[in-house]
Every structure is written in structure tokens, then in C-alpha cells.
Amino acid sequence: MAKAGNGGKGIGWNTQTEVQQLGELNGVDADGRPRIVSDVDACEVILQLAPETNGHVAVKAWEALSKITGREHAHLALHREDEKIRYRDVLAQPRKIISSPTWSGLESEKVSYNAGYTNVHELIPWRTLTGRQQFYQDHPWMIAFGEGFSSYRPRSISRRLQASTTSSRTGTRRSCSTSSRRTRSGASTPPTATT
């Protein structure tokens, strides 16, 4: 990490300072790298290197994105640049994370988090092939299911559909029933097959 840096979603930033600080926090091994001996050490590594929990890293991450977009974005984290969330902080009470360019929403006291906020208000390109919102998906498996484009699909009229088919592998007849019941979370249950 000291040489390669850190990053995600097409942007990267230098982490030499953070790796050095980890060595001071966790101690170093024989090769001079920060030690990760306990689960707490591992948590501290994640918290130190993530832009969501280290304000200095967040500012560097926003600056890296600024180089790509040509617009200044560091102002989204500058007010929290000196903040670092540590393991003991999270144990004491939950903390609000710092805004990061790896997410499309914004962590703010003024705006509720919602996906796509930075794309619209900071003019950051969408993370799609075109950089814009797109409806067409050219993945072969989606096209095979007729789902390349967004389209309206009316609800099924019957609550239960049954179809008898013959299994090519065993030669036995199979009855597939599909129901439209919902789970508590609102998700549709998958079709069930009975023999």
C-alpha cells in the first residue's frame, strides 16, 4: 500500500502517510511494515485507509476524482479533513462516515443520503459505459431474457400458474408452479418446482 496506494472505482491516491501512521499505531514487523496481529489491528488498517473513516484520505480521494472530472470536489470533505474514526470510537458509539467519491451519495448534515446526489449536483459522470444514465444493457444473458431495455411488464392476472413439462434428463413429467406471493421485505419469492 505504501508503494501502490489505494483507490477504487477508477480513481487512486497515495497512502504513504497513512501506512506510516499505521506503523506508529500498530507497531511494525521485521520488514518495517505495519503489524496486523489482532482483529483490532485489522480494523485499524481498514479505518485508517478508507476515505469514509479518515478525513485526510477522503480529501485525497476527492482530489483524485477532481483530476478526472476537471472540477473541484475536495470541498465535500475539507470540513472533516482532520477527523479520523478509530476502532475505540466505533465501540463507544456509532459514527457518521465521511463523504467519499467511491459512493454516489453525500454524507451531510444538510442533505439526506441518496444515491446519485453527487452525479447530479457535482456533475460527476455516472459509473456506466457512457458516463450517463443508461437504460440499455448489452449483456448477452440479459438480452437472452428480453431485458436489454427497460420495459413495462403488467402484473400477472392469476395468482398461480401451473405448467407441465417433461424433464429431458430423467424423462419424467414435472409440474412447475409459480406464485406471486411476497416476503416481508417486499421481494418476490422465486418460482418453485415440484416433481
Side-chain angles (χ1 to χ4, degrees), residues 19-66:
V19 171
Q20 181 183 350
Q21 290 170 348
L22 275 170
E24 294 166 6
L25 183 67
N26 293 351
V28 293
D29 63 13
D31 297 324
R33 294 180 301 219
R35 287 183 317 125
I36 305 175
V37 177
S38 69
D39 51 354
V40 174
D41 291 344
C43 290
E44 289 293 357
V45 169
I46 294 166
L47 294 169
Q48 176 71 6
L49 295 173
E52 297 84 0
T53 52
N54 184 331
H56 185 67
V57 174
V59 170
K60 288 197 284 188
W62 283 112
E63 287 171 348
L65 181 62
S66 293

Side-chain angles (χ1 to χ4, degrees), residues 119-151:
N119 301 99
V120 173
H121 297 280
E122 291 291 317
L123 303 178
I124 296 170
W126 298 84
R127 291 187 176 108
T128 62
L129 295 173
T130 62
R132 301 182 302 264
Q133 288 184 347
Q134 64 188 48
F135 292 104
Y136 179 68
Q137 295 293 323
D138 63 350
H139 305 297
W141 66 274
M142 291 181 81
I143 293 169
F145 281 102
E147 297 293 338
F149 282 106
S150 301
S151 58

